[in-house]
């Protein structure tokens, strides 16, 4: 099916989609400026920035039942997280002594029979009540920490606490088999093309019934059986641990420097409700085990909320936005002159400029000056690269290519068992870590990620062809991709033997007008996120940094930058779409 170019349509067009359509450059600017012609159509969005309608409705019910006059609320997956939100509000408000922030602990009923275990799960969650004037701070915590409840968890709590008298399940009455079957084609995988949909619908009654039965089984049958959530999470941890541990084909020199020598256990893999939550918790853990918390370093230009976490939680941050060798030279000089830091956070490679840091040198500095290293490998992913030997913790957004289907938010954090900080970190996690990853989300992610390896290799191969097309276009002034970056030598040090260079590519046109014309013309999905099974584009600087376009320029991020996440489309068809749009941009 052709990508929708209608403002506000979820991508994919399902209830729990992770992305949302902003089809033109002007619509993206309009969204950032809060213009009604865009905002009024935004009924969905990226979950950390846009509160899902089910969660909004849940909050309304909770405010009606438990709120006081003038209060609003937010829901978090545990009482402990809700208290962290309260602390954030009180720390950052301009009026700390003029109001009270309340935290309420609530629970849903637990199943009482084996049958109920398939559809019920007892869960305790936290609700933060605060004055309406402080909503912006509560929303900031939701966005930065990534610890909010998922839309599926919100739906479940809403049903259990406020809609239990309604008929359980989903009614199929009044919906034809053909309509349901078409929805199944659209929802099962956004990468399925229109030709596939047409061929299925034209296969006759037998095939239609077969597809219908398969849909019912997958959508409402065992794949969503909540009693298997624990097994699904165990499978996810094993999948992550196994893939990381088996990807050891880095250079002998790098491996020697890393001093790796112990198998990674799935007990060292921790799941989170979002990739941002894994980065947030890594920072939280380091602050908690530090004798004296110190500032951390953010090395390289990162995704926006990584920097926000380091700025707004704890002592602060030293931002080395260029993330190059000269930045490391300056850091080493400052460390030799007495600078003390708690940790260094970096992305590998970085988003959106696709720079790879010199992890071997960073590790040497960390050992010499006793700071921790946290690497976010989301963009590279652990099929392509092996960063664990150089890090104390490795964070990843499983929302992205690990899932692919753009219908679940998730993250992971891996503790390196060879880290000198491991014993203290492991003791902290064993005592304080909470499994906040919602059961139904785990079931979806486990199913989505079964073909993770095959998808990564296909995306890598297509991405190389896209990069070649862009490099050979006379309209393009610069292409950002690990294989054509000055930092390629550092990527190759950590690249697995059968790994590629990832599915994310950014590029600049020679003129702003060409960039706008291309983006508006290109017949692709357009919106936030990356790592999707379908190609997804956005004017990255406009979307992520609209209020600071002049500031980010000093770190090499041009306001007219376009970022593209490559999907599973037929490579020739994708290249044809891109070439046509390039031709229209002249």
């Amino acid at each position: 099916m052709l990508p929708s170019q209608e403002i506000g349509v979820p991508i994919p067009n399902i209830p729990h989609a992770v992305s949302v359509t902003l089809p033109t450059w002007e619509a993206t600017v309009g969204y950032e400026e809060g213009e009604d012609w865009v905002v009024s159509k935004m009924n969905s969005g990226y979950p950390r920035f846009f509160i899902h309608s089910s969660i909004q409705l849940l909050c309304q019910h909770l405010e009606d039942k438990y709120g006081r006059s003038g209060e609003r609320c937010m829901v978090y997956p545990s009482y402990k997280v809700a208290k962290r939100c309260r602390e954030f509000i009180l720390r950052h408000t301009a009026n700390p002594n003029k109001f009270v922030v309340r935290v309420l602990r609530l629970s849903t009923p637990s199943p009482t029979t084996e049958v109920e275990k398939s559809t019920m799960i007892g869960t305790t969650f936290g609700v933060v009540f605060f004055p309406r004037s402080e909503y912006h701070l509560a929303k900031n915590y939701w966005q930065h920490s990534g610890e909010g409840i998922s839309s599926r968890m919100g739906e479940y709590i809403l049903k259990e606490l406020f809609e239990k008298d309604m008929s359980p399940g989903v009614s199929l009455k009044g919906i034809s088999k053909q309509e349901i079957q078409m929805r199944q084609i659209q929802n099962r995988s956004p990468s399925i093309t229109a030709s596939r949909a047409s061929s299925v619908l034209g296969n006759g009654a037998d095939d239609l019934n077969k597809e219908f039965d398969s849909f019912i089984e997958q959508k409402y049958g065992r794949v969503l059986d909540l009693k298997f959530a624990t097994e699904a999470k165990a499978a996810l941890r094993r999948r992550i641990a196994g893939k990381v541990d088996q990807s050891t084909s880095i250079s002998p020199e790098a491996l020697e420097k890393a001093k790796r020598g112990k198998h990674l256990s799935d007990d060292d893999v921790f799941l989170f409700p979002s990739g941002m939550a894994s980065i947030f918790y890594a920072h939280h853990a380091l602050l908690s085990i530090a004798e004296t918390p110190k500032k951390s370093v953010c090395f390289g230009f990162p995704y926006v909320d990584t920097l926000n976490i380091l700025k707004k939680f704890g002592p602060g941050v030293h931002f080395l936005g260029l993330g190059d060798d000269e930045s490391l030279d300056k850091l080493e000089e400052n460390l030799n002159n007495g600078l003390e830091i708690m940790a260094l956070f970096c992305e590998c490679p970085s988003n959106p400029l696709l720079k790879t840091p010199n992890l071997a040198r960073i590790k040497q500095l960390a050992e010499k000056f006793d700071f921790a290293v946290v690497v976010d490998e989301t963009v590279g992913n652990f099929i392509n690269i092996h960063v664990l030997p150089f890090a104390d913790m490795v964070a990843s957004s499983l929302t992205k290519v690990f899932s692919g289907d753009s219908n679940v938010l998730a993250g992971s954090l891996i503790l390196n068992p060879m880290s000198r900080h491991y014993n203290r970190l492991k003791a902290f996690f064993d005592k304080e870590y909470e499994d906040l990853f919602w059961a139904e989300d785990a079931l979806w992610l486990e199913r989505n990620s079964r073909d993770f390896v095959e998808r990564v290799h296909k995306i890598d191969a297509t991405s190389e062809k896209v990069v070649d097309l862009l490099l050979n276009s006379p309209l393009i002034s610069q292409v950002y991709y690990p294989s054509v970056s000055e930092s390629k030598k550092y990527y190759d040090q950590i690249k697995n033997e059968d790994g590629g260079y990832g599915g994310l590519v950014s590029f600049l046109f020679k003129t702003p007008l060409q960039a706008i014309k291309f983006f508006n013309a290109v017949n692709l999905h357009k919106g936030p996120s990356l790592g999707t099974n379908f190609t997804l584009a956005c004017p990255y600087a406009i979307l992520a940094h609209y209020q600071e376009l002049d500031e980010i320029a000093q770190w090499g991020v041009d306001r007219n930058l376009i970022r593209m996440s490559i999907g599973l489309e037929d490579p020739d068809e994708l290249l044809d779409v891109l070439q046509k749009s390039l031709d229209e941009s002249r």
Side-chain angles (χ1 to χ4, degrees), residues 5-192:
Q5 302 301 323
E6 182 179 345
I7 293 172
V9 171
I11 313 174
N13 196 2
I14 55 176
H16 301 285
V18 166
S19 190
V20 64
T21 303
L22 287 167
T24 64
W25 201 282
E26 294 81 4
T28 308
V29 171
Y31 171 74
E32 293 297 330
E33 293 189 346
E35 294 183 12
D36 185 68
W37 68 276
V38 179
V39 176
S40 63
K41 299 174 183 177
M42 300 294 289
N43 295 317
S44 66
Y46 196 81
R48 287 191 302 102
F49 293 84
F50 186 95
I51 309 259
H52 191 273
S53 57
S54 295
I55 300 175
Q56 292 184 44
L57 183 57
L58 173 61
C59 288
Q60 290 174 14
H61 281 295
L62 291 168
E63 289 163 5
D64 291 343
K65 187 168 184 178
Y66 301 105
R68 297 170 182 170
S69 177
E71 283 187 333
R72 293 196 63 179
C73 78
M74 283 219 174
V75 185
Y76 288 95
S78 80
Y79 184 68
K80 190 182 291 187
V81 174
K83 290 197 295 183
R84 286 201 283 268
C85 177
R86 175 174 64 186
E87 291 167 6
F88 180 84
I89 294 172
L90 293 175
R91 187 183 309 121
H92 292 277
T93 182
N95 307 297
N97 300 316
K98 293 186 178 180
F99 59 83
V100 174
V101 179
R102 301 185 297 123
V103 177
L104 186 65
R105 191 197 318 246
L106 296 173
S107 299
T108 63
S110 296
T112 57
T113 66
E114 284 299 313
V115 173
E116 285 184 342
K117 288 180 180 179
S118 293
T119 58
M120 291 181 65
I121 183 169
T123 184
T124 299
F125 58 96
V127 187
V128 185
F129 289 90
F130 46 84
R132 186 175 300 274
S133 61
E134 309 307 308
Y135 179 79
H136 66 288
L137 290 176
K139 183 75 179 299
N140 280 346
Y141 185 85
W142 180 282
Q143 174 187 324
H144 300 333
S145 74
E147 291 189 310
I149 62 168
S150 76
S151 53
R152 290 187 180 90
M153 185 175 184
E155 276 188 351
Y156 181 84
I157 296 173
L158 186 65
K159 179 191 72 174
E160 289 296 311
L161 296 189
F162 297 103
E163 299 176 355
K164 196 64 175 179
D165 56 333
M166 296 176 62
S167 300
V170 178
S171 173
L172 302 179
K173 185 177 180 180
I175 303 177
S176 69
K177 285 188 177 183
Q178 188 172 15
E179 182 178 353
I180 293 176
Q181 195 270 339
M182 175 57 85
R183 292 181 187 177
Q184 186 264 341
I185 292 173
Q186 296 172 351
N187 296 352
R188 179 173 51 196
S189 174
S191 63
I192 295 176

Side-chain angles (χ1 to χ4, degrees), residues 119-384:
T119 58
M120 291 181 65
I121 183 169
T123 184
T124 299
F125 58 96
V127 187
V128 185
F129 289 90
F130 46 84
R132 186 175 300 274
S133 61
E134 309 307 308
Y135 179 79
H136 66 288
L137 290 176
K139 183 75 179 299
N140 280 346
Y141 185 85
W142 180 282
Q143 174 187 324
H144 300 333
S145 74
E147 291 189 310
I149 62 168
S150 76
S151 53
R152 290 187 180 90
M153 185 175 184
E155 276 188 351
Y156 181 84
I157 296 173
L158 186 65
K159 179 191 72 174
E160 289 296 311
L161 296 189
F162 297 103
E163 299 176 355
K164 196 64 175 179
D165 56 333
M166 296 176 62
S167 300
V170 178
S171 173
L172 302 179
K173 185 177 180 180
I175 303 177
S176 69
K177 285 188 177 183
Q178 188 172 15
E179 182 178 353
I180 293 176
Q181 195 270 339
M182 175 57 85
R183 292 181 187 177
Q184 186 264 341
I185 292 173
Q186 296 172 351
N187 296 352
R188 179 173 51 196
S189 174
S191 63
I192 295 176
T193 64
S195 60
R196 165 66 176 140
S198 299
S199 66
V200 171
L201 291 177
N203 278 341
D206 290 340
D207 286 345
L208 187 59
N209 287 330
K210 188 175 181 180
E211 288 282 333
F212 176 79
D213 292 339
S214 174
F215 168 57
I216 295 301
E217 178 184 42
Q218 292 184 25
K219 194 72 175 176
Y220 305 107
R222 63 174 180 267
V223 76
L224 295 183
D225 193 325
L226 294 182
K227 69 183 177 185
F228 293 122
T230 300
E231 288 83 350
K233 292 180 182 181
L236 288 167
R237 288 193 299 270
R238 286 194 301 270
R239 193 166 294 161
I240 295 167
K243 291 297 182 292
V244 171
D245 205 47
Q246 292 166 16
S247 302
T248 55
S249 301
I250 57 178
S251 68
E253 296 81 6
L255 191 59
E256 176 62 29
K257 290 178 182 177
K259 299 179 181 178
R260 178 171 169 79
K262 180 181 177 181
H263 270 299
L264 179 69
S265 165
D266 54 3
D267 290 337
D268 293 323
V269 178
F270 298 86
L271 300 176
F272 289 86
S274 69
M276 214 68 246
S278 65
I279 295 172
F280 175 82
Y281 203 79
H283 183 54
H284 172 69
L286 290 169
L287 286 172
S288 299
I289 68 171
E291 292 182 9
T292 304
K294 306 178 184 72
K295 288 185 177 182
S296 290
V297 166
C298 182
F299 189 78
F301 189 85
Y303 177 71
V304 58
D305 279 317
T306 297
L307 189 57
N308 279 328
I309 287 170
L310 300 179
K311 281 181 178 178
K312 298 183 180 183
F313 299 86
V317 63
H318 302 286
F319 182 33
L320 305 181
L322 293 177
D324 53 12
D325 289 342
E326 289 74 17
S327 299
L328 270 184
D329 291 340
K330 185 64 176 177
L331 175 61
E332 184 170 15
E333 179 185 340
N334 290 336
L335 291 168
N336 280 320
N337 289 335
L339 175 68
E340 294 184 349
I341 62 174
M342 181 180 73
L344 182 147
F345 287 72
C346 65
E347 297 175 349
C348 191
S350 64
N351 175 17
L353 297 182
L354 288 308
K355 290 183 179 180
T356 304
N358 185 346
L359 290 183
R361 186 179 174 196
I362 288 172
K363 180 178 175 61
Q364 291 173 348
L365 293 177
E367 290 178 342
K368 180 178 179 181
F369 295 102
D370 192 30
F371 60 85
V373 178
V374 181
V375 178
D376 178 359
E377 53 81 86
T378 299
V379 174
N381 79 69
F382 50 77
I383 299 304
N384 287 328

